[in-house]
Amino acid sequence: MDEYSRFVDWDKMDVSAQSQDTKELTCTDFHELKQLARQGYWAKNHSLRAKVYHKLISNIPCRTVTPDANVYRDIVVKIIGKRNSSSLPLPEFVDNSLIPTYCLNGEGVGAVRKIILCIANQFPDISFCPALPSVIALLLHYSKDEAECFEQVCRILACNDPSKRLIDQTFLAFESSCMTFGDLVNKYCQAAHKLMVAVSEDVLEVYSDWQRWLFGELPMAYIARVFDVFLVEGYKVLYRVALALLKFFHKVRAGQPMESDSIQQDIRAFVRDITKSVSPERLLEKAFAIRLFSRKEIQLLQMANEKALQQKGITVKQKRQNVHLAVHAENFKSEIVSVKEMRDIWSWIPERFALCQPLLLFTTLEHGCSLSRFYSHSEGHEPTLLLIKTTAKEVCGAYLSTDWSERRRGGNKLSFFGTGECFVFRLQPEVERYEWVIIKHPELASTGSETENHAQPASSTLYSSSIPSDRLSPFLAARHFNLPSKTASMFMAGSSECIIVGGGDGQALYLDADLNHGRTSHCNTFNNQPLCSETFQISILEVWGFRD
């Protein structure tokens, strides 16, 4: 066996990982390295993977004073002494996490605890890091001794490149990552999300497990392949793989009864036994087939979620709020939707606002059918929720990410604003949520030449899916990306004469100034049902805000 076999129980290790093929890795180009990592170039040679890990981790930019192997040799005797490491309590920041043994031998299992305790001694600023035991256990398979493993983990923890996020080390960072994952599931795994909402009282509690799926439940052969790519590409890879796991879980278990009383436990069991249904190659293939948002956009979303948690005072571990209870039955009364329907809508909105309570701002039953009163009651609130019940008993609505006062920037002209978090939905006769799409309108005269302006037919101006999504942020305002707002923020529009909301899959909603009539635009190129009748009469309209 090679020099990196000290802590490995080869009877447990995948036999393919024992290949003695003497491959070397000499490339330094990022794109080439990324392809090799995804293809598993060093996955079948234990020694090569160890050397690649050492090389990649050595290149991580770190704080000037980062503990190294010599520090470990100096402190391990003082901290552990002659005591059995298994009898020593672990630091609170690992949160009683699973300490996976993977393919470690007895010495390796004991070494994990020793390294955790020494890291706690050297990193007093770490307050919450449940992924740490798994990372240590994994790297021990590819380390010559405990000190080398300690140094590699320290470099990962001490990374000081603001653009390179690696492991969450505070509860705020961890919790915001769970909220961000929930947002991504809502966007990319809608079928699975619908299942979570149906069978779980608290979807956030389910999504809080996303790191445990990776750093705890995934078998060794799988997490090692994920870690290969993670060291090259960073944190975004973790989101990708977790989304892929959820997609496979839904596909494999669709229509089957739950195996336990908890969807959380079912997902954990599925990931633990993933070898029965999905290979590591298929898992990564699925993960990288997801057209995920850019790293910058995900970072901005994570920052928004962190800010929301800070504003709520949630910065240390505490009992998680039950999202389904965010809409309290005793305090909620709508003439359009039931408590259950409002809770379903709450499961669609961005996680940072799911912490809030619904607050009725405007209703035509009390405030009359006046667009000016609609604006006066809605302005100053961001985001808002629009609910409509038609005389034909149809129920639809829209989540509106931006304050309606933004419409004033356009003067008397129809003004476009909003972000890609806007969406429209239907509750009756069937439940359907439509992803956002940019809307167009002939009033957008200043964005192009006169010829272009007159060439745009009015009949096709309420929807568009032609602008490539990589030009704008799916979550945040165009101002974050220095894009011209008139061409990049076309999700909401308002004037003294009408309101337009761009929905998704070719859907858009148009309301007249009297708030009595409306119409929808539906692109026939999409295989879905329209939001509601093409023209409709409004029975009741409500606007809801979000209260802390």
Side-chain angles (χ1 to χ4, degrees):
M1 294 300 172
D2 60 47
E3 57 186 328
Y4 301 99
S5 299
R6 174 176 172 179
F7 303 109
V8 179
D9 183 341
W10 284 100
D11 291 334
K12 300 177 183 177
M13 201 76 162
D14 181 1
V15 68
S16 64
Q18 302 183 44
S19 168
Q20 297 302 307
D21 183 17
T22 56
K23 292 190 285 188
E24 293 295 332
L25 185 70
T26 57
C27 81
T28 56
D29 177 72
F30 172 76
H31 295 289
E32 185 180 353
L33 206 57
K34 182 170 77 170
Q35 289 304 314
L36 291 175
R38 292 187 180 190
Q39 294 165 7
Y41 181 81
W42 51 81
K44 289 183 168 36
N45 186 288
H46 189 82
S47 178
L48 178 60
R49 178 180 260 158
K51 292 174 182 176
V52 171
Y53 280 4
H54 181 78
K55 179 179 180 180
L56 294 174
I57 294 173
S58 296
N59 289 332
I60 294 175
C62 296
R63 299 195 288 251
T64 304
V65 180
T66 298
D68 59 13
N70 289 327
V71 170
Y72 182 82
R73 296 184 185 101
D74 289 340
I75 66 173
V76 66
V77 176
K78 300 173 186 176
I79 295 173
I80 307 299
K82 296 182 179 180
R83 294 172 293 178
N84 187 331
S85 61
S86 62
S87 65
L88 298 176
L90 291 175
E92 290 185 4
F93 65 68
V94 298
D95 191 39
N96 296 318
S97 306
L98 288 177
I99 301 184
T101 58
Y102 296 131
C103 301
L104 293 174
N105 56 25
E107 183 183 6
V109 173
V112 174
R113 297 180 70 92
K114 291 164 67 176
I115 294 171
I116 291 174
L117 292 166
C118 289
I119 285 175
N121 175 268
Q122 292 295 301
F123 288 84
D125 52 333
I126 295 180
S127 60
F128 197 78
C129 192
L132 185 62
S134 172
V135 172
I136 293 173
L138 177 63
L139 286 175
L140 268 173
H141 292 77
Y142 304 98
S143 300
K144 296 177 182 177
D145 54 33
E146 295 172 14
E148 182 179 89
C149 180
F150 171 84
E151 179 175 326
Q152 291 188 342
V153 176
C154 286
R155 290 194 66 83
I156 293 173
L157 294 171
C159 174
N160 62 358
D161 183 349
S163 66
K164 194 177 183 71
R165 179 176 180 171
L166 293 176
I167 296 179
D168 295 330
Q169 299 174 44
T170 66
F171 182 73
L172 180 63
F174 172 81
E175 188 78 346
S176 64
S177 79
C178 296
M179 292 170 66
T180 301
F181 180 69
D183 286 327
L184 296 175
V185 173
N186 206 349
K187 171 76 176 176
Y188 293 104
C189 305
Q190 291 183 24
H193 182 66
K194 191 174 182 179
L195 173 64
M196 300 302 123
V197 172
V199 302
S200 171
E201 290 188 354
D202 187 356
V203 290
L204 268 181
E205 192 68 37
V206 176
Y207 297 149
S208 72
D209 252 10
W210 81 277
Q211 288 195 26
R212 175 175 175 149
W213 303 341
L214 305 175
F215 297 111
E217 305 293 358
L218 265 184
M220 171 69 186
Y222 292 73
I223 185 58
R225 286 295 305 276
V226 173
F227 205 74
D228 291 347
V229 189
F230 167 72
L231 286 179
V232 177
E233 299 187 43
Y235 201 89
K236 184 178 174 181
V237 170
L238 305 182
Y239 283 134
R240 284 187 176 280
V241 176
L243 289 170
L245 286 171
L246 201 56
K247 281 178 175 287
F248 277 122
F249 171 79
H250 180 261
K251 180 180 179 180
V252 172
R253 296 290 176 84
Q256 298 182 14
M258 291 177 59
E259 295 185 355
S260 70
D261 295 332
S262 165
I263 190 71
Q264 260 184 307
Q265 296 299 329
D266 277 13
I267 297 174
R268 290 175 184 177
F270 171 78
V271 176
R272 248 189 332 266
D273 299 330
I274 196 170
T275 53
K276 298 176 181 178
S277 53
V278 183
S279 68
E281 292 75 21
R282 183 75 185 96
L283 178 63
L284 289 178
E285 180 183 330
K286 186 76 164 179
F288 290 110
I290 300 172
R291 299 190 65 179
L292 204 59
F293 299 131
S294 73
R295 186 175 287 104
K296 181 176 182 180
E297 289 161 346
I298 291 176
Q299 184 180 21
L300 288 170
L301 178 60
Q302 182 108 10
M303 289 167 59
N305 284 331
E306 283 193 11
K307 184 177 180 181
L309 288 168
Q310 288 172 324
Q311 290 173 341
K312 296 283 184 183
I314 303 174
T315 57
V316 295
K317 184 167 172 45
Q318 52 190 260
K319 182 170 172 41
R320 181 190 295 274
Q321 178 184 352
N322 186 314
V323 172
H324 267 54
L325 296 181
V327 182
H328 298 303
E330 62 273 16
N331 298 326
F332 176 77
K333 180 173 175 56
S334 167
E335 299 299 327
I336 299 178
V337 298
S338 65
V339 172
K340 181 185 182 303
E341 288 172 325
M342 194 60 147
R343 286 173 176 170
D344 287 340
I345 296 170
W346 232 243
S347 73
W348 297 334
I349 66 176
E351 297 288 1
R352 62 189 183 278
F353 296 116
L355 301 168
C356 302
Q357 294 287 319
L359 173 67
L360 184 62
L361 303 175
F362 174 87
T363 170
T364 51
L365 292 179
E366 179 180 343
H367 303 104
C369 299
S370 166
L371 186 54
S372 61
R373 282 198 289 272
F374 169 96
Y375 285 138
S376 65
H377 284 271
S378 302
E379 287 177 5
H381 295 272
E382 181 180 295
T384 54
L385 194 66
L386 175 68
L387 297 177
I388 297 170
K389 185 175 184 178
T390 72
T391 54
K393 308 298 183 184
E394 297 168 308
V395 175
C396 62
Y399 171 81
L400 306 170
S401 64
T402 306
D403 192 330
W404 278 107
S405 63
E406 286 286 312
R407 79 188 192 285
R408 300 181 188 276
R409 294 189 177 189
N412 294 325
K413 292 183 178 181
L414 192 66
S415 176
F416 292 83
F417 52 96
T419 75
E421 283 185 316
C422 294
F423 62 86
V424 294
F425 56 86
R426 182 185 66 203
L427 295 177
Q428 297 290 343
E430 296 177 358
V431 177
E432 185 73 47
R433 186 192 67 163
Y434 303 93
E435 286 302 307
W436 66 265
V437 69
I438 300 169
I439 55 178
K440 291 182 179 178
H441 194 276
E443 293 289 338
L444 211 60
S446 61
T447 62
S449 67
E450 288 297 315
T451 304
E452 290 172 332
N453 294 336
H454 292 299
Q456 178 66 45
S459 62
S460 63
T461 57
L462 290 182
Y463 59 83
S464 169
S465 60
S466 60
I467 298 180
S469 60
D470 59 2
R471 280 180 48 195
L472 28 102
S473 166
F475 286 113
L476 303 161
R479 63 179 177 270
H480 293 295
F481 296 88
N482 299 317
L483 295 173
S485 61
K486 286 190 176 181
T487 58
S489 290
M490 305 179 197
F491 309 98
M492 302 164 57
S495 70
S496 59
E497 298 178 355
C498 68
I499 286 173
I500 304 176
V501 178
D505 294 341
Q507 305 285 351
L509 186 66
Y510 181 102
L511 303 181
D512 293 332
D514 61 6
L515 297 186
N516 277 318
H517 299 85
R519 62 183 184 271
T520 59
S521 174
H522 176 236
C523 180
N524 292 326
T525 59
F526 293 94
N527 186 22
N528 57 49
Q529 295 298 313
L531 187 62
C532 61
S533 301
E534 187 173 345
T535 60
F536 57 87
Q537 187 171 347
I538 297 173
S539 173
I540 309 171
L541 183 148
E542 294 176 349
V543 179
W544 291 81
F546 294 74
R547 180 183 62 204
D548 290 343

